Amino acid sequence: MHMNYDFDRLISRRGTNALAEDGFENYLFGADAPAPELDVPREELISMWVADMQFAAPDAAIDAISERLKHPVFGYTMNFDDQLYQAFHAWCAERYDWRFAREDMLVALGVIPALFGLVEYVCRPGDKVLSLTPAYGYFKHATVQRDREFVTSRLLASDDGGYAIDFDDFETKVSDPAVKLFFLCHPHNPTGRVWTDDELRRMGELCIANGVKIVSDEIHCDLLRTGTRHTPLARLFPGSRDIITCMAVSKTFNLAGMMIATVIVPDPALRSEWKRRHYPFVNPLSLAAAAGAYRNGAPWLDELRSYLDANFAWTQRFLNEHLPKARFRIPDATYLAWVDLRAYFDESVNLTRFFLEKAGVILEGGEMFVENGACRIRLNLACPRTQVQRSLEKIRDAILRFDKRPDRR
Ligand SMILES: Cc1ncc(COP(=O)(O)O)c(C=O)c1O
């Protein structure tokens, strides 16, 4: 395939206030944790953690921002007109055969603020929110910081790196009358699973039968491996008012710092509640960027996806050859590699700290994902291939040094 976009270019983000490079200590270890003892100079750390990309955003977004900049007033802005709806709705219809009314679409300052809001609008204090683990950390944060209880159903890991839902356990948990909301992550971060239509139907039916609303966080839905198509949960339940869908340009087009997301809420009562309570403004540049990206960003995204496919293929070959006891399966979606290192480590090792200190690679160990992630690491492969290669070599060297320690024999 001929490439029109240069995903091989290494772009330094130094001096841009990037969380990926400057904010990892606080995020990964907490404000009061001891400072890491680095074996390499700080400038040489390789960032493979937070879920944004090291790639330039598509011109489709940048040009739309430039166009908006020609108007010199940046006052309070809301999503009044139909431009974002038209671009985004056409995207959903074309790519996932999914349609919804203009009035169903709300706009938030990102999926995270939407999660915090929805916990409050759907549940009372003391109610419970269910999710599958390992889980994206903010599902738990949004729940407990709003005084709701977080309950979990553990995914079942198989020896080849696959994951499945434990439906017996899920059914038990979802039928607790205190559970009012289910946070579904589809595709799933961190495992990369795309839930099948059967799995989606089963989860959806169990929730609906038990009066549990579903927030389907589909933020990774545009990053499926080439040749496969995303099915929004809501598409399988036409007419249902119980499913809230979150999507965003953050992951798809690397615009997380723009802070904008679309939330599709078919229930008019919940929409009214949202409108009464939710912070209503958006950044005018973000609104322009999102509409522009959905309107004109498809060619960039399609090329990005094949670049990511190749990064995964490279990673799989490398692991097979150099770390044969690691268990890894190329994920159905996302740019996140979830690698099982149980053969090399036990649960006593904090892998986030280990790889930071011993390999100079900033990554997220399984402990970052609520529970059920022990001895795994999550690597963000949305970066130039040379960076994937360098980081994996450093990871390998650190593991082999650790494996050879005399006390390991
Ligand atoms: C499942 C999931 N939801 C939400 C977010 C963050 O969304 P936003 O940047 O739109 O707030 C992420 C980012 O990693 C994510 O993985």
Side-chain angles (χ1 to χ4, degrees):
M1 177 175 172
H2 173 70
M3 291 289 200
N4 294 305
Y5 306 96
D6 185 5
F7 296 112
D8 283 328
R9 179 162 72 112
L10 276 167
I11 304 176
S12 168
R13 296 168 74 187
R14 214 151 282 152
T16 65
N17 288 300
L19 178 60
E21 298 203 0
D22 292 324
F24 66 88
E25 280 159 300
N26 192 28
Y27 189 100
L28 296 175
F29 304 115
D32 305 322
E37 292 169 25
L38 301 178
D39 278 1
V40 298
R42 219 187 141 88
E43 312 76 68
E44 286 174 25
L45 293 176
I46 308 179
S47 174
M48 303 294 284
W49 69 288
V50 68
D52 61 18
M53 308 198 232
Q54 298 291 341
F55 305 130
D59 288 342
I62 297 170
D63 291 347
I65 295 170
S66 306
E67 194 55 36
R68 178 61 185 81
L69 282 172
K70 290 181 187 159
H71 192 294
V73 182
F74 304 98
Y76 288 114
T77 302
M78 288 169 67
N79 179 42
F80 292 117
D81 71 18
D82 287 344
Q83 292 195 44
L84 176 59
Y85 172 74
Q86 275 164 9
F88 175 55
H89 188 259
W91 181 271
C92 293
E94 151 107 22
R95 296 182 91 94
Y96 341 120
D97 190 21
W98 183 47
R99 290 163 185 80
F100 49 84
R102 167 70 180 95
E103 61 187 12
D104 293 0
M105 190 189 94
L106 304 169
V107 171
L109 296 179
V111 173
I112 296 173
L115 298 174
F116 275 86
L118 287 163
V119 165
E120 291 200 299
Y121 316 149
V122 173
C123 309
R124 302 219 175 96
D127 284 348
K128 297 179 183 172
V129 179
L130 173 65
S131 202
L132 304 171
T133 55
Y136 175 56
Y138 272 98
F139 291 163
K140 180 171 180 185
H141 304 328
T143 303
V144 299
Q145 288 178 27
R146 291 290 177 267
D147 296 324
R148 278 70 172 168
E149 195 181 320
F150 194 63
V151 292
T152 58
S153 180
R154 290 168 174 252
L155 292 170
L156 303 171
S158 57
D159 278 345
D160 63 354
Y163 278 88
I165 298 162
D166 180 347
F167 272 104
D168 289 338
D169 184 65
F170 185 84
E171 187 164 0
T172 307
K173 301 281 165 61
V174 83
S175 54
D176 174 349
V179 170
K180 294 291 190 299
L181 181 62
F182 172 46
F183 276 149
L184 173 67
C185 193
H186 171 52
H188 184 258
N189 172 15
T191 68
R193 269 299 313 274
V194 167
W195 308 114
T196 63
D197 287 9
D198 273 354
E199 289 169 320
L200 293 169
R201 279 204 187 88
R202 269 179 94 178
M203 286 188 281
E205 281 162 8
L206 284 167
C207 287
I208 291 167
N210 286 284
V212 173
K213 289 206 184 280
I214 307 168
V215 169
S216 190
D217 178 343
E218 305 190 4
I219 195 167
H220 295 277
C221 68
D222 293 311
L223 297 165
L224 272 58
R225 299 286 79 78
T226 301
T228 56
R229 253 167 96 89
H230 172 71
T231 303
L233 174 72
R235 205 195 82 199
L236 300 179
F237 292 88
S240 168
R241 292 186 168 179
D242 294 323
I243 298 166
I244 300 131
T245 307
C246 301
M247 292 181 175
V249 286
S250 326
K251 307 289 160 206
T252 309
F253 298 108
N254 199 24
L255 295 168
M258 300 304 287
M259 302 181 64
I260 185 165
T262 43
V263 184
I264 293 82
V265 182
D267 178 359
L270 180 57
R271 277 204 306 273
S272 304
E273 187 70 358
W274 172 293
K275 285 178 187 164
R276 249 197 311 280
R277 300 172 67 180
H278 207 84
Y279 184 78
F281 302 114
V282 283
N283 182 319
L285 301 182
S286 308
L287 200 54
Y294 283 127
R295 205 177 292 124
N296 299 318
W300 179 92
L301 177 65
D302 293 338
E303 251 184 58
L304 169 79
R305 286 170 62 185
S306 43
Y307 194 86
L308 294 175
D309 293 346
N311 276 359
F312 278 111
W314 190 91
T315 298
Q316 187 173 50
R317 279 198 304 276
F318 183 91
L319 291 173
N320 284 343
E321 188 172 333
H322 297 277
L323 291 170
K325 290 187 278 175
R327 294 191 183 126
F328 171 66
R329 188 194 260 200
I330 293 179
D332 307 329
T334 77
Y335 42 68
L336 307 166
W338 180 247
V339 187
D340 179 345
L341 297 177
R342 275 180 295 179
Y344 298 100
F345 297 95
D346 63 45
E347 300 199 10
S348 64
V349 185
N350 176 312
L351 294 183
T352 312
R353 189 173 279 277
F354 174 85
F355 285 107
L356 177 66
E357 293 183 344
K358 304 297 175 210
V361 176
I362 318 169
L363 55 72
E364 291 186 52
E367 60 282 342
M368 298 300 297
F369 300 92
V370 182
E371 65 175 22
N372 200 21
C375 309
R376 271 73 169 185
I377 56 170
R378 195 192 76 170
L379 285 173
N380 177 343
L381 301 192
C383 59
R385 191 137 326 126
T386 50
Q387 184 176 329
V388 173
Q389 293 166 347
R390 272 194 313 130
S391 66
L392 275 157
E393 284 160 8
K394 287 178 186 291
I395 286 168
R396 171 199 59 197
D397 295 347
I399 292 177
L400 296 183
R401 275 195 304 270
F402 180 79
D403 220 26
K404 288 211 183 79
R405 290 182 331 176
D407 58 318
R408 297 267 300 162
R409 297 290 134 199

